[in-house]
Each structure stands twice: as structure tokens, then as C-alpha cells.
Amino acid sequence: MTSTHHDTDSNHSVTRFEHGRFWTANPSQPEADTMVVNEQGRIAWIGQATELPEIYTGSACRVVNLEGARVIPGFVDAHMHAVMLANFAPQISALPPAVNSIEDLVNAIAARRAQQGPDAWIEGWGYDEGLFAEKRSPTRWDLDRGCADAPVCIMRTCGHIRCVNSRALELAGITRDTPDPAGGEIERNANGEPTGVLKETARNLVTPVIPKPSREDAVHNIVALGQLLASQGVVAGTDMCSVDGTDTHPLLVDAARHGLPQDIASYMLWDYIKANPDAYILGPDEMDRSQQIFSAGIKILTDGSVSGRTAWFYEPYLPSDRDLGAENCGIPTCTDEDIDAAIAFCQAHHCQLSLHAMGTHAIDRVLDRVTAAGLWDAGSVPPVRVEHVTAPSAHAIKTFAQTGIAVVTQPIFPYAEIDTYRTNLGDTRTRSCYPFRTMADAGVRVALSTDAPATSWAVPSDPFPNLKSAITRRAHTGFDFGQDERLSREEALSRYTREAASVVGFEGLGMLCAGYKASFAVLDRDLLTIPEDEIDKVQVTATYIRGKKVFEA
């Protein structure tokens, strides 16, 4: 159903939204048809029209007629990289439908080189060898065919691997004699020559020579991203760290001043502050969650990605010619001492610690170290959250449930990257990944998110394919990746709204109930009743943030 959201008497500052089908995410009041929003953009009252207090029944209220549309709390993306996603907008998108092969990528690079000078960097993002016609990763020599006289850097979809051309290797000083950094790998061919593929911490070897966007451009890009997110019903998100060491918090504050409407929580990557953590400002003012933009804590990367074959497992990946004959179980990307130091920092600052851990070995490792150190008071949020949690052991699931350590996971990964998962893990292991149902039934605190832009999806921040994956457990190809781990629609929505807001600590978000911010989305069809195959086709017709309409289709 398409709603016209007819407004009347727009001079009044109190607004009554009526004739809606509100799904509230509030267990004590799941449904409503009327909602009143006060001058401060907070929900003054919500319920059934037959129970509407008399004070809100007259002409003192501005009226919005929702004409039967389904309304949900706005989505809260508990794990995305907002600034990275914003800055990727001007770069080459190495994803379908624009790029379907390495040859397409070479042509896109050549076209960009024709528009630029010989010394300007050519950057791109999103490639996934599983989606290329050639079914392999690009190499420096492929990128050289597109451009040999300027540096080229293409970020893999997972954000953990870069492929660069020969000119970029030269500028970074990477040769066949350059040793692998701790927690990383300079991929080499059988002759020992770097292929241009830089895995995990090795990707940082080129970071110092890649130019950063100007502050003005970065702020402009973030504000533009806010409009995209509003069109998707996303009312709050995160910046889970930059890949170049930028403290994104000041950029986000500036973007909010220039019109970014979403609430955003920022995290800083431990790699970039561990040498001098006392210099990183993380005090009560920065962590005040009543602000639109706040600093939430620290993030540390402890392994890689399944699709990049760097997530750390006990059991090896299926053999690949890229392993050069060796068994590959993935890569631990930091030391035990790094994890312990990050824990100590967060204990001292009473902030949240985010730990990236995908593989079974990595997940067990971080949980064992955190529980040995002891949890701490981080205010209203769980002190520790673990990201992705692709293949948790039974021990890990029990530990999550007993400690309240939160899981922030991404259904979009198996949905979009299913061919790579099947190639790297096999069908049986793939179906055991992302055990949403098992974790929910065990009482684990689980939030859903996208990790945008670090996934192989053309519009990576779109919530609806992500929801469809959690609800159907079928990939975009139709492959069944484990029906016994499905979530109901209400469960998936609650973990994308109420639970996500709770894990990050967004004040007044995630539910539609009195006192909360009036941040919500109006949909073009009923997400709770349409056929499952149509979930990814749902469109947002209007988004309100703190009572203000910030998007209308």
C-alpha cells in the first residue's frame, strides 16, 4: 500500500499520526494505530485511537494520516562503517551490475585513468572473486593493464584485503624482499613475487601513501550518505573505525552540523592508538550518549574474513591454489598482548570494547581473554561486543549467554557471498554458520547489522535483503543455508531495532513508545505479512528522525 501521509494544519507543533499499523518493538505494547509526537520530537503517546487522551483529539494537533501503512521503528545499523561508505561513493564500485569480471574492472580502471592525470590515485571497492566471471582474485598485473602509470588500489568487499597495482607497490616500497607484517600476508606467486594482494595488516603498508579526502569533501560525502540511509529507513548507525587511522568523530560532528540527521556512534581502531593510547581523547563529553554523535569505544581486529580465507578456524579451509599447497586455517591478526591491552584501556575508560572475530578459533580466543580479565562497568551498554561471530562453538554460545557479551552479526554475508562461502567452507560448514536461532534460543544478546560497505551487495546499507536473509535462510541464489536457524519476522526486526539500539547504547531509539525519539519508517507494504520472497522488495515511503520528516519517496 502506498500512503500519501496527508498532513493538515501544519502550523501546530504537536503531531498526531493516525490510521497507521504501528509495529512498535515494545513487548508490552506490540501494536498501535495512533501516535502523538511532541514539540521536542519525542513520542508523547502511542496506542489505539479508541484510547486516545482527550488532550490529543482536537485541532491543537497537526495531523498525519498514514492511510493504513505499516510503520516500524527506524533501523539501527549497529555495525557499519559510515565514513568509509560515504567516501567510497566517488570511487569505482567493483560490484555487479557494473563490474562482473576482472575484464570489466580493468576497463573501469582504464576509463577512470582517462579522466585523471598520470599521478592521481585510482581507487575502488567491493570486489569479490566469487562474483567475477574468472572466479579468481585480481592481481597487480590485471590492474596494470587498466593503468600502469598511476597507482591503483581496489579494496576487497570484506575491507580486510587490498589489491594494488605495480605502481602502488613501488610507492609503498613493497618488493619480493619485504617481510610479511605480524598478522598479515603479502601474497606472493610461486616465484616469490608479490601479486599485489595485501591481506589483513599487510593492507596497511600502502595506507601512508594513499591520499585522504579533504575534510570538506569527507563532510559533504557523509551528509549525502545520510540521505541514502534516510531513504532506507535507517535512523541511526555506527562508524566502526576507519581503515587509515582517521578519528572520524570530529568529521561526524561536523556533518551533523551540516544536516546529517542520523544518530551515529563512533569507534576507534586499536591499531592506531595502541602506541600512545593516552593521547586518544575518550572522556565523558565524547561518550555522552544523549548527543547525536558520540564516541562509543575501541575496536580491535582479531582475525579476517571467511570470503577472504583469513577468518581464523580450527579446521582448515577447503584447498585452493592460492594456498600454495599449505593447509590454511586463517590468520590471527593481533597478539594476545594486543587484546589484553585493549581490554585494559576500556576498563580504565569505562567504554565499550568491540572485537572482530569471525572464525571459531578467533571467537573462543577473545571470549577466553575477556572473561579471564573480567568484565567492567560501561554504563548502559554491554562492556564487550563481538562482531560477525560466523561460526561460534558451543562453548562460545554458552559464554555469550552467561556473560551478556553481545553479538553483532550480519545475515547479508551468507546471502550475498554464498558462492565464496561454499567454495571456502563447503556446504555442510556453510549451513552451520551464523546460528541465529541457536543463539536466540540460548538467550544470547544478538543485534543484526550490515557491515556496509564491507559486503558483496550493490547497495550494502539496504536493510531489506539483510532481513530477508535472517528470516528465510536462503541466499540470493536460492541456496538453503540452514532452515533450522531462521528467525521470525518479529525477531529479526527487533534485533535490527530494539536490540541494536540497546547494544550500541542509542538513547531513546529502537522502540516506538512514550518518551522515545519519534524516529521511524513508513513502508510501502506490510513487511510482517507479505510473502517472504518479497521482503527485499519493500520500499520506504517516508522516514522521520526525532519527529522531523527527513525523507519522502
Side-chain angles (χ1 to χ4, degrees):
M1 172 181 290
T2 300
S3 172
T4 59
H5 316 140
H6 181 60
D7 296 7
T8 63
D9 203 7
S10 59
N11 292 325
H12 294 291
S13 53
V14 175
T15 304
R16 184 175 72 245
F17 295 87
E18 59 187 25
H19 304 301
R21 286 181 290 169
F22 293 89
W23 181 83
T24 68
N26 180 2
S28 63
Q29 187 189 41
E31 296 279 347
D33 62 19
T34 305
M35 184 171 72
V36 179
V37 177
N38 65 21
E39 300 94 326
Q40 290 76 42
R42 298 268 176 169
I43 299 170
W45 183 90
I46 185 168
Q48 300 301 320
T50 54
E51 301 170 354
L52 182 68
E54 187 175 352
I55 189 176
Y56 302 128
T57 60
S59 59
C61 289
R62 170 176 170 261
V63 176
V64 177
N65 184 353
L66 294 167
E67 299 184 353
R70 172 60 72 185
V71 182
I72 61 172
F75 293 108
V76 175
D77 198 325
H79 185 125
M80 67 183 303
H81 298 264
V83 176
M84 186 191 305
L85 180 59
N87 288 335
F88 278 0
Q91 298 181 14
I92 294 169
S93 173
L95 282 167
V99 173
N100 297 284
S101 65
I102 292 173
E103 288 306 307
D104 286 346
L105 179 59
V106 169
N107 292 335
I109 291 168
R112 183 61 61 92
R113 168 62 184 84
Q115 300 169 1
Q116 299 182 172
D119 296 321
W121 278 78
I122 297 172
E123 295 184 74
W125 67 280
Y127 84 84
D128 180 348
E129 60 274 13
L131 299 180
F132 283 157
E134 297 87 351
K135 300 299 180 184
R136 66 171 177 85
S137 170
T139 66
R140 62 190 283 191
W141 301 287
D142 295 314
L143 304 190
D144 287 348
R145 289 193 291 116
C147 174
D149 63 350
V152 179
C153 175
I154 312 295
M155 183 75 77
R156 195 183 180 280
T157 174
C158 61
H160 290 248
I161 296 172
R162 283 184 166 125
C163 182
V164 301
N165 72 345
S166 298
R167 178 61 177 146
L169 288 176
E170 179 186 346
L171 290 174
I174 299 172
T175 70
R176 63 181 297 132
D177 299 320
T178 304
D180 289 344
E185 177 191 348
I186 301 170
E187 186 182 87
R188 305 165 202 269
N189 65 12
N191 298 321
E193 285 294 328
T195 66
V197 177
L198 306 174
K199 300 180 179 180
E200 301 305 328
T201 59
R203 73 188 182 280
N204 298 330
L205 297 175
V206 297
T207 299
V209 295
I210 299 176
K212 296 182 181 181
S214 69
R215 185 182 184 91
E216 182 181 2
D217 286 343
V219 169
H220 171 80
N221 292 341
I222 296 167
V223 173
L225 172 65
Q227 290 306 303
L228 171 65
L229 297 178
S231 74
Q232 297 167 335
V234 178
V235 301
T238 54
D239 190 83
M240 293 305 302
C241 74
S242 65
V243 294
D244 61 4
T246 299
D247 181 0
T248 59
H249 183 265
L251 293 175
L252 292 161
V253 170
D254 204 0
R257 294 192 189 106
H258 285 81
L260 173 73
Q262 283 82 12
D263 290 11
I264 304 286
S266 68
Y267 293 76
M268 189 68 177
L269 194 62
W270 180 247
D271 287 5
Y272 293 108
I273 68 169
K274 66 181 182 181
N276 188 15
D278 291 338
Y280 181 58
I281 300 173
L282 195 62
D285 291 342
E286 290 77 23
M287 292 193 295
D288 180 359
R289 283 175 161 79
S290 68
Q291 301 176 105
Q292 181 186 348
I293 311 296
F294 61 88
S295 293
I298 297 298
K299 180 184 176 185
I300 185 168
L301 302 170
T302 74
D303 73 340
S305 69
V306 172
S307 59
R309 299 172 67 86
T310 51
W312 194 27
F313 289 94
Y314 297 111
E315 183 180 351
Y317 291 94
L318 295 182
S320 165
D321 57 4
R322 299 185 75 81
D323 297 328
L324 299 180
E327 269 199 351
N328 174 22
C329 292
I331 301 174
T333 59
C334 68
T335 65
D336 289 347
E337 291 74 20
D338 286 330
I339 296 173
D340 294 344
I343 291 170
F345 178 90
C346 293
Q347 287 174 328
H349 289 81
H350 301 286
C351 65
Q352 195 175 58
L353 175 61
S354 161
L355 298 130
H356 168 116
M358 294 193 81
T360 312
H361 199 162
I363 298 164
D364 284 348
R365 175 199 192 194
V366 300
L367 289 177
D368 289 347
R369 302 209 74 78
V370 166
T371 53
L375 297 178
W376 57 95
D377 179 12
S380 61
V381 296
V384 177
R385 47 179 286 183
V386 183
E387 315 302 320
H388 314 307
V389 191
T390 302
S393 64
H395 161 71
I397 292 173
K398 182 178 180 180
T399 303
F400 284 125
Q402 290 179 341
T403 62
I405 293 172
V407 169
V408 184
T409 191
Q410 295 77 31
I412 194 67
F413 285 173
Y415 184 83
E417 302 170 22
I418 192 62
D419 291 338
T420 305
Y421 272 68
R422 295 175 71 186
T423 298
N424 290 344
L425 301 180
D427 288 359
T428 299
R429 283 176 71 185
T430 294
R431 288 191 173 98
S432 68
C433 289
Y434 303 99
F436 306 135
R437 174 84 275 139
T438 299
M439 289 193 290
D441 288 349
V444 178
R445 195 169 184 178
V446 179
L448 304 184
S449 62
T450 62
D451 199 13
T455 190
S456 302
W457 203 244
V459 187
S461 55
D462 186 351
F464 297 104
N466 207 22
L467 279 173
K468 182 179 180 180
S469 177
I471 293 164
T472 67
R473 293 287 295 196
R474 292 190 182 278
H476 75 100
T477 61
F479 178 78
D480 171 1
F481 62 94
Q483 292 296 295
D484 54 347
E485 295 292 349
R486 293 171 56 147
L487 295 177
S488 72
R489 301 184 199 213
E490 291 81 2
E491 286 174 317
L493 267 175
S494 69
R495 295 180 186 280
Y496 216 142
T497 53
R498 182 183 71 238
E499 296 303 320
S502 176
V503 165
V504 181
F506 287 112
E507 184 273 323
L509 286 178
M511 293 193 294
L512 300 179
C513 63
Y516 272 55
K517 297 172 184 175
S519 295
F520 59 93
V522 185
L523 309 181
D524 70 341
R525 65 197 82 181
D526 192 346
L527 181 61
L528 297 175
T529 61
I530 59 173
E532 290 180 343
D533 285 347
E534 296 180 15
I535 290 173
D536 58 331
K537 304 297 192 297
V538 173
Q539 297 289 315
V540 173
T541 62
T543 299
Y544 291 78
I545 295 181
R546 295 180 294 278
K548 179 181 178 182
K549 185 189 290 184
V550 296
F551 169 77
E552 184 169 27

